Amino acid sequence: MGNWGRAALAGLAVLAITTGANAADLYTPVKAPVTPVVEQSPWMIRLRALAVLPNDSGHVNNVPFSDLSYSNSVVPELDISYFFTKNIAAELILGVTPHNIYGQGSLAGTNVGRVWLLPPTLMLQYHFTDFGPFKPYVGAGINYTMFFNQDAKDVYAVDVKNTLGWALQAGFDYMIDKHWGVNIDVKKLFLEPDFTVTTAPGALPLAGTANLNPWLIGAGVTYRF
């Protein structure tokens, strides 16, 4: 091959390399679309059917062998939770519940009266997150119970005092999807309000303590925003 042939081949090789480099420079890789990460809301609500089961204990001061008992109640309950982290949450529990008060022991056969309770309770909870859709939790908190619509029966007047107490809690959510779930919850309130009863107009009131300390057992639905 002559010098002209070799020169022509070299020129073609340079042209091919240059064309390939320019084509590579013009190519822009197509990036896969990025799926946005949607953070879950920190808010959760639950609606439960709640059984309120007071402890049957109490006394009237200076009345020997006096005792008290209380009716159970089943009521709706709403609670609102806020998650500070995936594990730590605060829960505010709201509901009202009616109870009858009966005399026992030396007061047996006495229907003292009927009262309504508004016991808002604020819990600090730890949620376990290593069990898939099964999400157990424990909690502890504070309760302030207000008594209203106090209706005396076999006595002239009854006045149960508002009181502060403590609360413990355990339960779980089972999440059906990212929003909806079912809930089982058990709480113990340490609640021992003082009260007075007046047996007749003009009589001096008698003081005592109602050792309610109820168990609260609930079941319902969960919604996570």
Side-chain angles (χ1 to χ4, degrees):
M1 181 183 295
N3 291 335
W4 285 104
R6 285 193 291 270
L9 288 176
L12 289 174
V14 170
L15 179 61
I17 293 171
T18 302
T19 303
N22 290 337
D25 291 339
L26 293 175
Y27 173 72
T28 301
V30 178
K31 295 182 180 180
V34 177
T35 302
V37 177
V38 179
E39 294 186 3
Q40 194 165 23
S41 168
W43 294 98
M44 172 187 283
I45 61 172
R46 299 184 184 93
L47 182 63
R48 302 185 183 106
L50 184 71
V52 183
L53 312 174
N55 180 46
D56 288 333
S57 179
H59 65 275
V60 178
N61 298 343
N62 303 317
V63 178
F65 308 109
S66 61
D67 202 355
L68 298 171
S69 65
Y70 320 95
S71 63
N72 299 329
S73 184
V74 178
V75 295
E77 178 201 71
L78 172 69
D79 77 62
I80 304 168
S81 297
Y82 183 87
F83 283 78
F84 302 102
T85 70
K86 69 177 184 177
N87 300 108
I88 305 298
E91 180 186 56
L92 178 63
I93 300 160
L94 301 170
V96 295
T97 174
H99 295 277
N100 296 320
I101 306 171
Y102 303 105
Q104 300 295 338
S106 61
L107 301 175
T110 304
N111 184 353
V112 178
R114 182 177 177 86
V115 300
W116 284 78
L117 286 68
L118 173 61
T121 304
L122 182 63
M123 309 293 294
L124 184 64
Q125 301 171 328
Y126 185 85
H127 291 252
F128 300 90
T129 56
D130 300 327
F131 305 100
F134 177 67
K135 301 185 182 300
Y137 58 85
V138 293
I142 193 168
N143 162 269
Y144 186 76
T145 297
M146 293 167 279
F147 298 86
F148 63 99
N149 284 0
Q150 304 191 44
D151 183 21
K153 299 296 185 182
D154 294 341
V155 298
Y156 179 70
V158 59
D159 182 16
V160 186
K161 311 298 183 182
N162 298 343
T163 190
L164 187 69
W166 303 101
L168 296 176
Q169 177 188 40
F172 68 86
D173 295 296
Y174 189 89
M175 301 306 294
I176 300 168
D177 58 31
K178 66 181 294 186
H179 293 297
W180 290 97
V182 295
N183 174 259
I184 301 293
D185 184 89
V186 177
K187 291 182 284 292
K188 176 68 171 180
L189 300 188
F190 298 91
L191 186 63
E192 299 184 356
D194 295 328
F195 65 87
T196 60
V197 291
T198 305
T199 57
L204 292 176
L206 300 173
T209 301
N211 301 326
L212 299 176
N213 299 324
W215 287 96
L216 280 61
I217 302 173
V221 295
T222 298
Y223 184 81
R224 181 76 181 264
F225 290 93

